[in-house]
Amino acid sequence: MPPDSATPSAASPASSPQPGALIGERYRLEQRLSQGGQGSLWRARDQLAGEGPVALRQLGPEFDHGAAVARWNRLQGVLHPQVPRLGSPLRQDGDLWLVREWQSGRTFQQLLQVRAERQMVFGAGEVLLLLRQLLPVLAVLHGQDLVHGDLCPANLLRRDSDGLPVLLDFGLVAGGVVATPGFAPPELAESGQPLPWMDLHALGVTALVLLSGDPPAGLFDPVSFSWRWPVALAAEPDLQRELQRLLQRQPDQRFRSAGQALAAFQAVPMPESTGPVARADRTVVLVPPAAPPDLPPAAEVAAGPAAAPPELPPLGAPVAAVTPLSRAEARDEAAEGGIWPVVMALVVSAVVGTALGWWWLSRGKQPPPTTPEAALQLPSSLPPSEVDQRQQLLNRLRAMQVDRGWFLKLVDASLLAQFPERGGRLPSDALEDAPLRKIWNELAEEWLARVEQLPIELRRRLGNYSNGDWERRQKALVNQGISPEVLRQLVSGSAQNLLPGRSGAAIPPEPFRQLWYAAAEQILATVQIEAIQAQPLQTQVLSAAVDAGGARLFPVRLTPGNRLVLGVNGSPLMQMSVFAADGSLLEPKGPLRVVSLPAQTQSPVQLLVTNDGVAPAMITLSLRADPPAAAPAPEPPQPLAPDQLSRPQSLPPEADRNPAPRPDPARGPDAEGPPEPLPPLSN
């Protein structure tokens, strides 16, 4: 995880622990990454999770710890794959320590600096894709009445595992408004009240910075309150129009929500520039210019007579005799003659390279061949470098024993999902589709990296899994008291590494479904099930180990009508969720915690604990069943008065014992039949 974007502070009232110190008897500090307006950020190792890396933020006594903990607890409820998971706050020596999941990758600020060294910036296609990937995360965040507060390139990380952007370092964790200058609108500093539209404004500024390579101060005119638009947007008017709405400060002109902004940017056609592009003000010449032809000395040119304008020969005039070539002209002609063999060699290598294996991109123009052997004979006009790259992919597929037909469908489906405006058209081998072919290549590399995570016995079956395989595995576990809904939730959580960005327990469509089936085979073959019988009014405590990347299921049986109290403690890299006997969700997936469940009519209650760490870890489970409260005893009859004791207590006459029903004023004097029952009282 990269350092904070906050500017370093020379002095801080917070204590100064040294690397090697143990925080909370669990986290050993390794390196201070930054120190600024949001405290100090440390990289540490979790001693209870196999020395796995975590991020710790240290807030000294000068911060409002109560407000920070309150906001941190709310952020723990944000469950999105592009938001790091958060652990429980710790207090030590007067400091507050906030635990956060470690993310491997580079921030967009770091990427921008690397490109600046080559005088390159982000292309319009890259920025549009980034907006499409970030706006769903902001929609989830804003839907829970939360804002980021400090959205900028330094707080956006491109994750190495899947290439998705991840939100880092929420700007309001420390309890106050901490925003990077230039990205937040002036209203935030004036009011101190963060609002969702301010995140959208910061996202628009981030887009301009990535497109231009300039800081916000170089893009904003404080006199006219207008933005300088990067040159790259001149050819993308649709993208510029929507970016203008992100930066609007007038409520009636900006987007109402992140969801509305997402719909607008999804309708923008994907630009041709899908990779880095040169800065508009580039000064370094990457390709040297051609050498000028030999000229006579300057003194001779200046001393010679002025050249008269040439006269055009009349039509039909005889062609002049060929004159001998000068030394310069002879050298140029010889150079041209030496180039032709090189050109012919490149053409021959392209034809030969085509026969080595690159055939599927031509499917945009013609139907695919029936066999890979037949595909090798198809002509192609791709550059040799692309042919070699595709041949390497084929070699890796063969070495990994992955079905190439299924894999091609997987990459095709991913590409078309990113570019719905193409209407299902795959890129051809034409020159205008070169940017799309590059994205196809990058997607293929990403999917290969994910498929490599699977054991070879599972990789061999990709493309051949069926619903029957899933049904057989599910039936065996259902017989042990686990509901199908819980199993789907377990598999979907395990499949996040293979299918990033997909949420929910629904089984995805083909060809992605094959990876879901593979994840089901992997996780369900190793899931541990331990049934527990809860005793009324007795607290039970037990410990259990959860394998790295594994899960443990606890079916808890209890008497119908009893309430259940559960408490789970363990690594912050673990998460828990609770389901009723019918599979309905009682407690959503989140950090380990204490939950109190209402009276259950059926049994068992199912507790699911997953370990996302890289090493096994222990958990401690406490539970107690509480029977329903006893009904209050009826009040004793009131004793009779003395004057009533002297009078005989005879039954009333039959007419008095069965009096006629009185008319209900609300029903009218002529209403017949018994009165309608009163509606039940609402809580």
Side-chain angles (χ1 to χ4, degrees):
M1 185 175 296
D4 279 1
S5 60
T7 56
S9 176
S12 176
S15 61
S16 300
Q18 300 299 319
L22 195 62
I23 303 300
E25 299 181 353
R26 177 171 185 170
Y27 304 103
R28 190 169 302 280
L29 299 181
E30 191 174 55
Q31 180 185 2
R32 188 196 299 267
L33 301 177
S34 69
Q35 183 174 350
Q38 294 197 67
S40 298
L41 182 67
W42 290 81
R43 183 174 65 233
R45 296 284 176 177
D46 189 350
Q47 306 301 297
L48 300 182
E51 299 286 335
V54 295
L56 292 181
R57 182 166 295 281
Q58 176 192 11
L59 299 180
E62 71 275 12
F63 292 96
D64 186 348
H65 289 184
V69 170
R71 180 171 173 80
W72 192 260
N73 292 337
R74 292 189 62 197
L75 290 173
Q76 285 181 320
V78 180
L79 302 179
H80 194 281
Q82 292 169 246
V83 176
R85 291 186 291 270
L86 309 179
S88 301
L90 303 171
R91 299 179 187 271
Q92 181 169 315
D93 299 331
D95 294 339
L96 178 67
W97 295 83
L98 304 175
V99 186
R100 185 180 66 193
E101 177 190 21
W102 183 269
Q103 295 285 336
S104 297
R106 291 189 294 178
T107 67
F108 279 81
Q109 183 64 37
Q110 293 172 326
L111 294 173
L112 195 61
Q113 292 173 354
V114 171
R115 295 186 180 185
E117 296 175 357
R118 297 178 293 152
Q119 298 203 5
M120 305 284 287
V121 293
F122 284 76
E126 282 186 295
V127 172
L128 178 57
L129 181 60
L130 175 66
L131 295 172
R132 292 179 179 180
Q133 293 172 336
L134 275 178
L135 284 169
V137 191
L138 293 179
V140 172
L141 199 66
H142 297 167
Q144 300 186 25
D145 294 331
L146 292 168
V147 295
H148 186 281
D150 191 15
L151 208 157
C152 63
N155 289 337
L156 292 176
L157 177 136
R158 176 179 284 177
R159 190 160 51 197
D160 289 339
S161 59
D162 53 19
L164 290 176
V166 178
L167 288 177
L168 297 179
D169 297 343
F170 287 67
L172 306 176
V173 166
V177 179
V178 181
T180 303
F183 289 89
E187 287 83 352
L188 179 59
E190 295 172 359
S191 65
Q193 179 65 32
L195 297 173
W197 74 267
M198 299 180 182
D199 277 348
L200 300 182
H201 180 278
L203 183 60
V205 179
T206 299
L208 296 188
V209 170
L210 296 178
L211 287 168
S212 64
D214 296 328
L219 296 171
F220 184 71
D221 184 359
V223 177
S224 61
F225 284 89
S226 60
W227 292 91
R228 176 175 62 83
W229 297 101
V231 178
L233 291 177
E236 306 296 341
D238 295 335
L239 178 58
Q240 179 174 340
R241 181 184 66 251
E242 304 306 338
L243 286 176
Q244 285 177 328
R245 294 188 64 186
L246 282 180
L247 297 171
Q248 284 291 342
R249 296 167 60 189
Q250 300 299 326
D252 58 337
Q253 298 180 11
R254 59 180 178 238
F255 292 111
R256 295 190 302 272
S257 64
Q260 185 188 28
L262 175 62
F265 282 103
Q266 285 179 334
V268 175
M270 181 60 65
E272 293 184 2
S273 59
T274 55
V277 297
R279 284 182 59 111
D281 55 352
R282 169 177 255 171
T283 57
V284 176
V285 180
L286 299 183
V287 180
D294 291 344
L295 295 175
E300 296 183 9
V301 175
E311 296 182 359
L312 295 178
L315 293 177
V319 180
V322 178
T323 59
L325 297 176
S326 65
R327 288 197 306 268
E329 293 171 334
R331 185 171 62 252
D332 292 342
E333 185 171 333
E336 293 178 2
I339 290 176
W340 280 109
V342 178
V343 174
M344 293 303 297
L346 291 176
V347 173
V348 171
S349 63
V351 175
V352 174
T354 301
L356 293 178
W358 176 242
W359 52 270
W360 53 80
L361 281 180
S362 59
R363 291 172 297 172
K365 290 186 175 181
Q366 51 192 352
T370 56
T371 63
E373 291 75 15
L376 298 178
Q377 307 301 324
L378 290 177
S380 174
S381 58
L382 294 173
S385 59
E386 290 193 42
V387 175
D388 293 341
Q389 188 176 7
R390 299 313 173 272
Q391 180 60 37
Q392 293 176 10
L393 289 177
L394 286 177
N395 293 340
R396 290 181 62 187
L397 285 174
R398 188 180 302 109
M400 293 167 55
Q401 302 186 32
V402 176
D403 181 84
R404 71 179 67 183
W406 166 80
F407 185 80
L408 298 181
K409 294 178 182 178
L410 177 70
V411 183
D412 289 345
S414 302
L415 180 72
L416 296 177
Q418 289 192 16
F419 301 94
E421 62 272 12
R422 290 186 60 85
R425 291 183 296 106
L426 295 171
S428 66
D429 56 358
L431 180 61
E432 59 269 16
D433 281 347
L436 285 175
R437 291 200 303 271
K438 180 181 179 182
I439 297 178
W440 194 100
N441 299 338
E442 295 172 352
L443 289 173
E445 292 288 346
E446 293 174 3
W447 283 115
L448 276 176
R450 298 182 190 124
V451 172
E452 277 184 323
Q453 303 175 22
L454 293 172
I456 189 170
E457 60 271 13
L458 297 180
R459 295 201 301 256
R460 289 171 178 169
R461 297 181 59 188
L462 288 172
N464 298 310
Y465 285 108
S466 65
N467 191 58
D469 300 326
W470 158 247
E471 292 292 342
R472 284 190 296 271
R473 179 72 71 175
Q474 178 180 241
K475 183 177 180 181
L477 294 175
V478 168
N479 293 337
Q480 301 183 44
I482 308 301
S483 64
E485 291 78 7
V486 177
L487 294 178
R488 283 195 292 271
Q489 179 76 23
L490 173 61
V491 174
S492 297
S494 175
Q496 282 293 324
N497 291 333
L498 296 173
L499 298 168
R502 293 183 178 270
S503 58
I507 302 178
E510 293 285 6
F512 306 99
R513 180 172 298 182
Q514 292 293 310
L515 290 173
W516 196 92
Y517 284 153
E521 289 287 329
Q522 187 175 27
I523 187 66
L524 297 183
T526 59
V527 65
Q528 298 169 294
I529 301 177
E530 182 176 352
I532 303 174
Q533 179 66 49
Q535 302 297 330
L537 301 179
Q538 293 184 11
T539 300
Q540 300 170 253
V541 181
L542 57 93
S543 299
V546 184
D547 294 336
R552 199 167 186 120
L553 274 168
F554 298 92
V556 182
R557 300 189 178 277
L558 67 162
T559 305
N562 283 9
R563 295 176 287 112
L564 182 64
V565 180
L566 288 169
V568 188
N569 188 25
S571 167
L573 298 178
M574 292 184 173
Q575 292 192 307
M576 62 175 283
S577 49
V578 186
F579 301 84
D582 59 357
S584 59
L585 186 64
L586 296 177
E587 286 288 332
K589 187 175 182 180
L592 303 183
R593 57 197 184 275
V594 177
V595 298
S596 181
L597 305 177
Q600 301 296 306
T601 59
Q602 293 180 332
S603 182
V605 173
Q606 301 158 92
L607 168 65
L608 173 61
V609 180
T610 58
N611 180 10
D612 296 331
V614 296
M618 297 294 297
I619 63 168
T620 302
L621 170 62
S622 305
L623 70 153
R624 185 186 72 242
D626 294 335
E635 296 182 1
Q638 298 292 332
L640 297 176
D643 58 341
Q644 293 176 331
L645 293 175
S646 60
R647 290 183 296 183
Q649 302 295 323
S650 58
L651 293 175
E654 185 70 21
D656 294 335
R657 281 184 290 165
N658 298 281
R662 297 181 180 179
D664 189 351
R667 303 172 65 211
D670 299 330
E672 298 181 358
E676 297 180 359
L678 294 175
L681 295 176
S682 59
N683 294 330

